[in-house]
Amino acid sequence: MKTLILFTSIILLFVMASCSYGPDSPKGFSLPEGDIAKGEKVFMQYKCQACHALKGYEDESLIKEFDTLVPLGGTSAIIKTYAQLVTSVINPSHKFAPRNKSIEEKLINDDGSSKMRLFNDVMTVQELIDLVAFLQPKYEVKPITYTHYGQYRML
């Protein structure tokens, strides 16, 4: 019995150690709470509508960067997390959601990098925090609706 308990304890410790987070883990990553109103101003200041479509924020006076704008907000089957939105701004080549292939082809350079301009050298951390606070509530989680089929009978 003691051998079984010892063996189980060793296995449990091994499993727990193998589930630990590595240096690239987002564990512990957190930014302060942002200001939605200031985030809206950041969205307008950096003219995000030149590349992105967000309901209620159309601006026909801007020169559009792409024929098809990249949609922001709306319904999604999964939650757009704070970390995903931060990543999409500071590292736009990192994919966090499947996209329409026809849109994606227009947004990717031949080397696989994103055509989105980098704002890392011009946007402050506070502006990033506020922008993400503004964008996150624009996403609504709508679970996938499954079709319920009746049982098939073998003839």
Side-chain angles (χ1 to χ4, degrees):
M1 183 68 172
K2 287 182 181 180
T3 306
L4 180 61
I5 292 173
L6 179 62
F7 181 72
T8 305
S9 298
I10 291 171
I11 297 260
L12 184 60
L13 286 173
F14 177 74
V15 169
M16 288 173 56
S18 66
C19 293
S20 67
Y21 295 95
D24 292 333
S25 168
K27 182 178 180 181
F29 174 80
S30 178
L31 292 173
E33 191 172 321
D35 182 303
I36 293 173
K38 289 180 180 177
E40 180 180 30
K41 289 179 183 175
V42 170
F43 186 81
M44 304 300 279
Q45 173 189 344
Y46 287 103
K47 298 178 174 71
C48 299
Q49 314 92 306
C51 300
H52 294 282
L54 180 62
K55 186 177 180 182
Y57 292 90
E58 298 79 16
D59 187 346
E60 298 303 321
S61 68
L62 292 175
I63 297 171
K64 304 300 182 210
E65 298 283 330
F66 307 107
D67 295 335
T68 305
L69 298 177
V70 178
L72 296 175
T75 58
S76 174
I78 57 171
I79 295 171
K80 299 294 185 215
T81 67
Y82 191 84
Q84 288 173 323
L85 292 172
V86 168
T87 300
S88 69
V89 174
I90 63 175
N91 186 8
S93 292
H94 177 81
K95 291 182 183 181
F96 74 90
R99 292 189 179 138
N100 180 318
K101 288 291 181 192
S102 64
I103 294 175
E104 188 171 327
E105 289 171 359
K106 296 175 185 176
L107 303 176
I108 305 298
N109 291 315
D110 292 335
D111 64 358
S113 65
S114 174
K115 289 184 179 178
M116 180 173 159
R117 284 180 272 144
L118 291 177
F119 291 90
N120 300 351
D121 292 335
V122 293
M123 186 181 291
T124 68
V125 172
Q126 188 60 54
E127 288 173 328
L128 171 67
I129 292 167
D130 294 338
L131 178 63
V132 170
F134 166 70
L135 290 174
Q136 193 167 29
K138 305 291 185 208
Y139 289 91
E140 177 187 345
V141 176
K142 183 177 180 183
I144 297 171
T145 305
Y146 293 98
T147 305
H148 298 284
Y149 294 102
Q151 290 184 336
Y152 292 99
R153 290 187 188 175
M154 298 298 286
L155 297 176

